[in-house]
Amino acid sequence: MRPRRTIEPDRAPVPQARINEMIRAPKVRLVDENGEQLGIKTADEAREYAWGKNLDLVEVAAQADPPVTRVMDYGKYRYEQEQKAKLARKHQVSINVKEIKLRPKIGIHDYNTKKGHVERFLNQRAKVKVTIMFRGRETQHPERGRDLLMRLADDVKEIGQVESPPLLDGRNMVMMLGPTKNAGVKREDAKAEETQRSEETVPGDGEREAAPAPRDEEPLPREEVG
């Protein structure tokens, strides 16, 4: 008979499903390790069957009448579930969106300050929502806001790309910028990487000079015959 597992509450986490002695129902519907139905058994009979297979009895459907239990290796089952959850969290993308608000008649000093904030957010791998706020008669000239947004996008094009073009939303105009692959990389590192890539693809002058000599230097056939 398999030794009974004991779980200390202060050391081990509470399992997501009842297993072995934690199953309190007097009768259960038993499913073996291959997924075959074995019918309704008492909880003691089901546990003895599972322990005879050197496996665990796990309650998989507590709301059923009687509860459905399955014979399995619970440690392996929990490990697989944790790996699936870990993989799902790894592929889950956390989108961080920052917002910057501008006025159509913004001054050059304020514009440079706002642009610095946009560059900082992009280098943090965050998306930036840039909003132009129109007031009064400014709404009659939306092209000014569009020109300002496109100017900003051109100024940060090395680290930011336009994911959503300027769109008018009521009295505001909104554009979304997203980080490029160069965002967060120092300018010197990016320049060195680009230089190295160009050197690998384009041969230098030294390589052209080291090319093999032309075959014209070999003796001509008629000279050998003569």
Side-chain angles (χ1 to χ4, degrees):
M1 182 182 297
R2 176 193 174 110
R4 297 183 179 182
R5 292 187 177 185
T6 58
I7 299 179
E8 300 180 8
D10 56 342
R11 293 186 180 180
V14 179
Q16 297 178 355
R18 297 186 182 95
I19 65 171
N20 299 332
E21 299 93 340
M22 295 182 179
I23 300 175
R24 301 302 183 186
K27 291 186 178 181
V28 297
R29 186 176 301 276
L30 183 61
V31 180
D32 67 4
E33 66 276 16
N34 298 321
E36 297 182 2
Q37 299 269 352
L38 299 183
I40 298 176
K41 307 286 184 180
T42 66
D44 293 335
E45 291 175 347
R47 278 189 288 267
E48 293 297 333
Y49 178 85
W51 291 342
K53 299 282 187 176
N54 198 27
L55 297 172
D56 299 302
L57 183 67
V58 182
E59 190 178 58
V60 295
Q63 303 300 326
D65 186 21
V68 180
T69 58
R70 184 165 183 172
V71 178
M72 66 176 71
D73 186 341
Y74 186 69
K76 181 180 179 181
Y77 170 77
R78 282 295 302 273
Y79 175 78
E80 292 176 351
Q81 294 299 316
E82 291 174 359
Q83 292 300 314
K84 290 180 180 179
K86 183 178 179 181
L87 185 61
R89 289 193 301 268
K90 181 178 180 181
H91 290 287
Q92 184 177 4
V93 179
S94 178
I95 301 176
N96 188 14
V97 179
K98 304 290 186 178
E99 184 174 12
I100 291 292
K101 295 182 178 180
L102 307 175
R103 293 294 308 280
K105 298 180 181 180
I106 188 172
I108 184 63
H109 177 73
D110 292 338
Y111 173 80
N112 291 331
T113 302
K114 297 287 187 178
K115 184 181 70 172
H117 295 330
V118 173
E119 292 174 344
R120 178 165 54 88
F121 293 148
L122 291 173
N123 284 323
Q124 294 173 356
R125 308 297 302 175
K127 294 186 177 183
V128 183
K129 177 183 178 182
V130 187
T131 303
I132 301 292
M133 300 180 298
F134 297 100
R135 292 181 182 178
R137 295 183 179 180
E138 293 175 348
T139 56
Q140 300 177 4
H141 302 281
E143 66 278 0
R144 295 179 181 176
R146 185 176 293 105
D147 293 341
L148 180 59
L149 290 176
M150 297 311 298
R151 171 189 171 188
L152 177 62
D154 186 68
D155 290 343
V156 300
K157 63 182 179 180
E158 293 184 0
I159 59 175
Q161 57 186 355
V162 178
E163 293 189 352
S164 177
L167 296 175
L168 195 61
D169 184 12
R171 301 177 67 91
N172 298 331
M173 182 172 289
V174 179
M175 179 183 68
M176 184 69 71
L177 294 174
T180 63
K181 62 180 181 179
N182 293 329
V185 180
K186 293 183 179 180
R187 186 171 300 178
E188 294 79 5
D189 296 340
K191 185 176 180 180
E193 183 179 356
E194 183 179 358
T195 303
Q196 182 180 1
R197 190 182 299 111
S198 62
E199 289 178 353
E200 291 176 353
T201 55
V202 180
D205 296 337
E207 295 180 1
R208 287 195 293 266
E209 293 177 358
R215 298 182 59 87
D216 296 339
E217 297 179 359
E218 298 179 0
L220 299 176
R222 63 181 182 181
E223 292 179 353
E224 294 178 358
V225 174

PDB file of all heavy atoms in Angstrom, residues 192-215:
ATOM      1  N   ALA A 192      27.591  51.836 -33.497  1.00  0.00           N
ATOM      2  CA  ALA A 192      28.634  50.821 -33.630  1.00  0.00           C
ATOM      3  C   ALA A 192      28.082  49.560 -34.267  1.00  0.00           C
ATOM      4  O   ALA A 192      28.731  48.927 -35.110  1.00  0.00           O
ATOM      5  CB  ALA A 192      29.235  50.508 -32.255  1.00  0.00           C
ATOM      6  N   GLU A 193      26.848  49.175 -33.881  1.00  0.00           N
ATOM      7  CA  GLU A 193      26.247  47.986 -34.470  1.00  0.00           C
ATOM      8  C   GLU A 193      25.985  48.181 -35.952  1.00  0.00           C
ATOM      9  O   GLU A 193      26.220  47.286 -36.765  1.00  0.00           O
ATOM     10  CB  GLU A 193      24.934  47.672 -33.747  1.00  0.00           C
ATOM     11  CG  GLU A 193      24.256  46.415 -34.236  1.00  0.00           C
ATOM     12  CD  GLU A 193      22.980  46.150 -33.478  1.00  0.00           C
ATOM     13  OE1 GLU A 193      22.686  46.913 -32.544  1.00  0.00           O
ATOM     14  OE2 GLU A 193      22.282  45.182 -33.830  1.00  0.00           O
ATOM     15  N   GLU A 194      25.535  49.389 -36.326  1.00  0.00           N
ATOM     16  CA  GLU A 194      25.287  49.661 -37.738  1.00  0.00           C
ATOM     17  C   GLU A 194      26.586  49.655 -38.527  1.00  0.00           C
ATOM     18  O   GLU A 194      26.661  49.130 -39.644  1.00  0.00           O
ATOM     19  CB  GLU A 194      24.578  51.008 -37.869  1.00  0.00           C
ATOM     20  CG  GLU A 194      24.206  51.357 -39.301  1.00  0.00           C
ATOM     21  CD  GLU A 194      23.486  52.685 -39.376  1.00  0.00           C
ATOM     22  OE1 GLU A 194      23.249  53.294 -38.303  1.00  0.00           O
ATOM     23  OE2 GLU A 194      23.165  53.114 -40.495  1.00  0.00           O
ATOM     24  N   THR A 195      27.670  50.217 -37.951  1.00  0.00           N
ATOM     25  CA  THR A 195      28.964  50.231 -38.627  1.00  0.00           C
ATOM     26  C   THR A 195      29.496  48.818 -38.814  1.00  0.00           C
ATOM     27  O   THR A 195      30.009  48.453 -39.874  1.00  0.00           O
ATOM     28  CB  THR A 195      29.964  51.070 -37.821  1.00  0.00           C
ATOM     29  OG1 THR A 195      29.433  52.390 -37.647  1.00  0.00           O
ATOM     30  CG2 THR A 195      31.292  51.146 -38.532  1.00  0.00           C
ATOM     31  N   GLN A 196      29.347  47.983 -37.764  1.00  0.00           N
ATOM     32  CA  GLN A 196      29.816  46.608 -37.862  1.00  0.00           C
ATOM     33  C   GLN A 196      29.043  45.836 -38.922  1.00  0.00           C
ATOM     34  O   GLN A 196      29.605  45.059 -39.688  1.00  0.00           O
ATOM     35  CB  GLN A 196      29.663  45.915 -36.498  1.00  0.00           C
ATOM     36  CG  GLN A 196      30.172  44.482 -36.493  1.00  0.00           C
ATOM     37  CD  GLN A 196      30.006  43.844 -35.127  1.00  0.00           C
ATOM     38  OE1 GLN A 196      29.488  44.478 -34.217  1.00  0.00           O
ATOM     39  NE2 GLN A 196      30.430  42.616 -34.993  1.00  0.00           N
ATOM     40  N   ARG A 197      27.725  46.083 -38.997  1.00  0.00           N
ATOM     41  CA  ARG A 197      26.924  45.390 -39.997  1.00  0.00           C
ATOM     42  C   ARG A 197      27.332  45.793 -41.410  1.00  0.00           C
ATOM     43  O   ARG A 197      27.391  44.983 -42.319  1.00  0.00           O
ATOM     44  CB  ARG A 197      25.438  45.699 -39.770  1.00  0.00           C
ATOM     45  CG  ARG A 197      24.505  44.841 -40.608  1.00  0.00           C
ATOM     46  CD  ARG A 197      23.047  45.211 -40.383  1.00  0.00           C
ATOM     47  NE  ARG A 197      22.685  45.008 -38.999  1.00  0.00           N
ATOM     48  CZ  ARG A 197      22.411  45.999 -38.159  1.00  0.00           C
ATOM     49  NH1 ARG A 197      22.473  47.250 -38.576  1.00  0.00           N
ATOM     50  NH2 ARG A 197      22.064  45.750 -36.919  1.00  0.00           N
ATOM     51  N   SER A 198      27.649  47.086 -41.602  1.00  0.00           N
ATOM     52  CA  SER A 198      28.057  47.545 -42.926  1.00  0.00           C
ATOM     53  C   SER A 198      29.421  46.987 -43.306  1.00  0.00           C
ATOM     54  O   SER A 198      29.681  46.663 -44.461  1.00  0.00           O
ATOM     55  CB  SER A 198      28.074  49.077 -42.956  1.00  0.00           C
ATOM     56  OG  SER A 198      29.017  49.583 -42.027  1.00  0.00           O
ATOM     57  N   GLU A 199      30.318  46.840 -42.323  1.00  0.00           N
ATOM     58  CA  GLU A 199      31.635  46.282 -42.609  1.00  0.00           C
ATOM     59  C   GLU A 199      31.553  44.813 -42.976  1.00  0.00           C
ATOM     60  O   GLU A 199      32.336  44.311 -43.769  1.00  0.00           O
ATOM     61  CB  GLU A 199      32.544  46.466 -41.397  1.00  0.00           C
ATOM     62  CG  GLU A 199      32.949  47.927 -41.162  1.00  0.00           C
ATOM     63  CD  GLU A 199      33.819  48.065 -39.928  1.00  0.00           C
ATOM     64  OE1 GLU A 199      33.971  47.046 -39.224  1.00  0.00           O
ATOM     65  OE2 GLU A 199      34.337  49.156 -39.687  1.00  0.00           O
ATOM     66  N   GLU A 200      30.566  44.101 -42.385  1.00  0.00           N
ATOM     67  CA  GLU A 200      30.430  42.679 -42.694  1.00  0.00           C
ATOM     68  C   GLU A 200      29.850  42.460 -44.078  1.00  0.00           C
ATOM     69  O   GLU A 200      30.131  41.464 -44.729  1.00  0.00           O
ATOM     70  CB  GLU A 200      29.533  42.024 -41.644  1.00  0.00           C
ATOM     71  CG  GLU A 200      30.180  41.965 -40.268  1.00  0.00           C
ATOM     72  CD  GLU A 200      29.223  41.391 -39.233  1.00  0.00           C
ATOM     73  OE1 GLU A 200      28.046  41.194 -39.596  1.00  0.00           O
ATOM     74  OE2 GLU A 200      29.641  41.167 -38.095  1.00  0.00           O
ATOM     75  N   THR A 201      29.024  43.391 -44.545  1.00  0.00           N
ATOM     76  CA  THR A 201      28.359  43.193 -45.835  1.00  0.00           C
ATOM     77  C   THR A 201      29.123  43.796 -47.000  1.00  0.00           C
ATOM     78  O   THR A 201      29.071  43.292 -48.119  1.00  0.00           O
ATOM     79  CB  THR A 201      26.949  43.800 -45.792  1.00  0.00           C
ATOM     80  OG1 THR A 201      27.048  45.178 -45.398  1.00  0.00           O
ATOM     81  CG2 THR A 201      26.086  43.072 -44.766  1.00  0.00           C
ATOM     82  N   VAL A 202      29.874  44.907 -46.800  1.00  0.00           N
ATOM     83  CA  VAL A 202      30.585  45.587 -47.871  1.00  0.00           C
ATOM     84  C   VAL A 202      32.077  45.314 -47.736  1.00  0.00           C
ATOM     85  O   VAL A 202      32.672  45.627 -46.714  1.00  0.00           O
ATOM     86  CB  VAL A 202      30.333  47.118 -47.811  1.00  0.00           C
ATOM     87  CG1 VAL A 202      31.085  47.809 -48.930  1.00  0.00           C
ATOM     88  CG2 VAL A 202      28.846  47.401 -47.899  1.00  0.00           C
ATOM     89  N   PRO A 203      32.748  44.719 -48.731  1.00  0.00           N
ATOM     90  CA  PRO A 203      34.182  44.454 -48.624  1.00  0.00           C
ATOM     91  C   PRO A 203      34.977  45.746 -48.686  1.00  0.00           C
ATOM     92  O   PRO A 203      34.625  46.692 -49.376  1.00  0.00           O
ATOM     93  CB  PRO A 203      34.476  43.562 -49.837  1.00  0.00           C
ATOM     94  CG  PRO A 203      33.387  43.888 -50.812  1.00  0.00           C
ATOM     95  CD  PRO A 203      32.180  44.235 -49.993  1.00  0.00           C
ATOM     96  N   GLY A 204      36.096  45.790 -47.971  1.00  0.00           N
ATOM     97  CA  GLY A 204      36.947  46.981 -47.949  1.00  0.00           C
ATOM     98  C   GLY A 204      37.897  47.015 -49.115  1.00  0.00           C
ATOM     99  O   GLY A 204      37.985  46.093 -49.937  1.00  0.00           O
ATOM    100  N   ASP A 205      38.655  48.132 -49.199  1.00  0.00           N
ATOM    101  CA  ASP A 205      39.621  48.279 -50.282  1.00  0.00           C
ATOM    102  C   ASP A 205      40.736  47.251 -50.184  1.00  0.00           C
ATOM    103  O   ASP A 205      41.237  46.752 -51.175  1.00  0.00           O
ATOM    104  CB  ASP A 205      40.221  49.688 -50.258  1.00  0.00           C
ATOM    105  CG  ASP A 205      39.153  50.739 -50.521  1.00  0.00           C
ATOM    106  OD1 ASP A 205      38.122  50.372 -51.131  1.00  0.00           O
ATOM    107  OD2 ASP A 205      39.353  51.907 -50.119  1.00  0.00           O
ATOM    108  N   GLY A 206      41.102  46.919 -48.929  1.00  0.00           N
ATOM    109  CA  GLY A 206      42.174  45.941 -48.756  1.00  0.00           C
ATOM    110  C   GLY A 206      41.796  44.593 -49.322  1.00  0.00           C
ATOM    111  O   GLY A 206      42.608  43.876 -49.876  1.00  0.00           O
ATOM    112  N   GLU A 207      40.492  44.247 -49.180  1.00  0.00           N
ATOM    113  CA  GLU A 207      40.071  42.959 -49.708  1.00  0.00           C
ATOM    114  C   GLU A 207      40.109  42.952 -51.229  1.00  0.00           C
ATOM    115  O   GLU A 207      40.414  41.958 -51.847  1.00  0.00           O
ATOM    116  CB  GLU A 207      38.666  42.660 -49.199  1.00  0.00           C
ATOM    117  CG  GLU A 207      38.614  42.484 -47.688  1.00  0.00           C
ATOM    118  CD  GLU A 207      37.206  42.187 -47.234  1.00  0.00           C
ATOM    119  OE1 GLU A 207      36.325  42.112 -48.105  1.00  0.00           O
ATOM    120  OE2 GLU A 207      37.002  42.020 -46.025  1.00  0.00           O
ATOM    121  N   ARG A 208      39.782  44.111 -51.830  1.00  0.00           N
ATOM    122  CA  ARG A 208      39.839  44.153 -53.296  1.00  0.00           C
ATOM    123  C   ARG A 208      41.271  44.085 -53.795  1.00  0.00           C
ATOM    124  O   ARG A 208      41.563  43.527 -54.831  1.00  0.00           O
ATOM    125  CB  ARG A 208      39.153  45.442 -53.783  1.00  0.00           C
ATOM    126  CG  ARG A 208      37.625  45.389 -53.643  1.00  0.00           C
ATOM    127  CD  ARG A 208      36.982  46.489 -54.455  1.00  0.00           C
ATOM    128  NE  ARG A 208      37.312  47.796 -53.908  1.00  0.00           N
ATOM    129  CZ  ARG A 208      36.538  48.434 -53.037  1.00  0.00           C
ATOM    130  NH1 ARG A 208      35.421  47.875 -52.620  1.00  0.00           N
ATOM    131  NH2 ARG A 208      36.876  49.636 -52.584  1.00  0.00           N
ATOM    132  N   GLU A 209      42.225  44.675 -53.036  1.00  0.00           N
ATOM    133  CA  GLU A 209      43.624  44.610 -53.447  1.00  0.00           C
ATOM    134  C   GLU A 209      44.194  43.205 -53.307  1.00  0.00           C
ATOM    135  O   GLU A 209      45.085  42.813 -54.019  1.00  0.00           O
ATOM    136  CB  GLU A 209      44.448  45.578 -52.601  1.00  0.00           C
ATOM    137  CG  GLU A 209      44.099  47.048 -52.877  1.00  0.00           C
ATOM    138  CD  GLU A 209      44.877  47.970 -51.973  1.00  0.00           C
ATOM    139  OE1 GLU A 209      45.629  47.428 -51.126  1.00  0.00           O
ATOM    140  OE2 GLU A 209      44.753  49.193 -52.098  1.00  0.00           O
ATOM    141  N   ALA A 210      43.636  42.439 -52.362  1.00  0.00           N
ATOM    142  CA  ALA A 210      44.147  41.097 -52.126  1.00  0.00           C
ATOM    143  C   ALA A 210      43.546  40.076 -53.078  1.00  0.00           C
ATOM    144  O   ALA A 210      43.727  38.899 -52.895  1.00  0.00           O
ATOM    145  CB  ALA A 210      43.868  40.684 -50.680  1.00  0.00           C
ATOM    146  N   ALA A 211      42.815  40.520 -54.088  1.00  0.00           N
ATOM    147  CA  ALA A 211      42.205  39.596 -55.037  1.00  0.00           C
ATOM    148  C   ALA A 211      43.290  38.886 -55.838  1.00  0.00           C
ATOM    149  O   ALA A 211      44.391  39.413 -56.043  1.00  0.00           O
ATOM    150  CB  ALA A 211      41.270  40.362 -55.979  1.00  0.00           C
ATOM    151  N   PRO A 212      43.036  37.673 -56.298  1.00  0.00           N
ATOM    152  CA  PRO A 212      44.051  36.925 -57.053  1.00  0.00           C
ATOM    153  C   PRO A 212      44.425  37.646 -58.341  1.00  0.00           C
ATOM    154  O   PRO A 212      43.621  38.365 -58.935  1.00  0.00           O
ATOM    155  CB  PRO A 212      43.379  35.585 -57.329  1.00  0.00           C
ATOM    156  CG  PRO A 212      41.924  35.850 -57.175  1.00  0.00           C
ATOM    157  CD  PRO A 212      41.807  36.914 -56.158  1.00  0.00           C
ATOM    158  N   ALA A 213      45.675  37.473 -58.773  1.00  0.00           N
ATOM    159  CA  ALA A 213      46.183  38.133 -59.970  1.00  0.00           C
ATOM    160  C   ALA A 213      45.461  37.618 -61.199  1.00  0.00           C
ATOM    161  O   ALA A 213      45.037  36.475 -61.260  1.00  0.00           O
ATOM    162  CB  ALA A 213      47.686  37.879 -60.105  1.00  0.00           C
ATOM    163  N   PRO A 214      45.295  38.447 -62.218  1.00  0.00           N
ATOM    164  CA  PRO A 214      44.622  37.987 -63.445  1.00  0.00           C
ATOM    165  C   PRO A 214      45.439  36.919 -64.142  1.00  0.00           C
ATOM    166  O   PRO A 214      46.658  36.827 -64.006  1.00  0.00           O
ATOM    167  CB  PRO A 214      44.510  39.272 -64.279  1.00  0.00           C
ATOM    168  CG  PRO A 214      45.572  40.176 -63.744  1.00  0.00           C
ATOM    169  CD  PRO A 214      45.690  39.868 -62.289  1.00  0.00           C
ATOM    170  N   ARG A 215      44.741  36.146 -64.945  1.00  0.00           N
ATOM    171  CA  ARG A 215      45.393  35.032 -65.635  1.00  0.00           C
ATOM    172  C   ARG A 215      46.199  35.482 -66.823  1.00  0.00           C
ATOM    173  O   ARG A 215      46.836  34.693 -67.487  1.00  0.00           O
ATOM    174  CB  ARG A 215      44.329  34.025 -66.083  1.00  0.00           C
ATOM    175  CG  ARG A 215      43.554  33.401 -64.906  1.00  0.00           C
ATOM    176  CD  ARG A 215      42.551  32.383 -65.405  1.00  0.00           C
ATOM    177  NE  ARG A 215      43.221  31.318 -66.138  1.00  0.00           N
ATOM    178  CZ  ARG A 215      43.726  30.234 -65.561  1.00  0.00           C
ATOM    179  NH1 ARG A 215      43.680  30.091 -64.256  1.00  0.00           N
ATOM    180  NH2 ARG A 215      44.301  29.294 -66.303  1.00  0.00           N
TER     181      ARG A 215
END
